[in-house]
Amino acid sequence: MYALSREIIKLYKPILDKYDLTYTQYITMLVMWEEEQVIFKELGKGLHLDSGTLTPVVKRLEAMGLVTKYRNKEDDRVVTVESTEKGKLLKEDILEVPDEIYCKFKGDDEKLIAFKNSLMN
């Protein structure tokens, strides 16, 4: 599984380089485009990333102006991550990525879908 994930990430790299994003930054933005605003801890759970891995990713996305993060006024232990306007606009530019990745896969569509479903269960 590790080798497979590395190969898939390699497929993404040249496509994501156009947007100056790593794969981890890209999947983080996928969540942000769905949620627009999410608690940092929940973002980590959804991505299966610990805070030590996710913190530098969010910091880099923040430096790029794609997200902003802030502490909850009632409970400063809670950090919220929110998409910026620039982050929301990137979504429109990057819509091509899934299609470009799909085109790189060779083989039977049904087998690919079955494989994806087996990984999800």
Side-chain angles (χ1 to χ4, degrees), residues 25-107:
Q25 291 166 343
Y26 172 67
I27 62 171
T28 301
M29 289 307 299
L30 287 175
V31 172
M32 297 309 303
W33 292 323
E34 284 182 21
E35 304 293 329
E36 290 191 18
Q37 182 181 29
V38 65
I39 304 298
F40 181 86
K41 186 182 269 190
E42 296 303 313
L43 180 61
K45 281 182 189 176
L47 293 169
H48 303 283
L49 297 174
D50 62 38
S51 73
T53 302
L54 187 56
T55 295
V57 171
V58 171
K59 280 186 178 182
R60 176 71 177 129
L61 292 172
E62 190 174 30
M64 295 168 73
L66 300 176
V67 301
T68 186
K69 64 180 174 139
Y70 52 90
R71 295 194 177 276
N72 184 301
K73 291 176 184 168
E74 290 83 41
D75 185 350
D76 69 349
R77 296 171 296 175
V78 177
V79 175
T80 301
V81 182
E82 188 171 344
S83 289
T84 62
E85 262 323 294
K86 182 178 177 183
K88 292 173 189 173
L89 291 172
L90 177 62
K91 179 181 179 181
E92 301 305 315
D93 294 337
I94 209 165
L95 287 174
E96 70 196 36
V97 172
D99 288 337
E100 286 188 43
I101 291 298
Y102 180 75
C103 289
K104 292 181 181 269
F105 286 102
K106 308 228 183 332

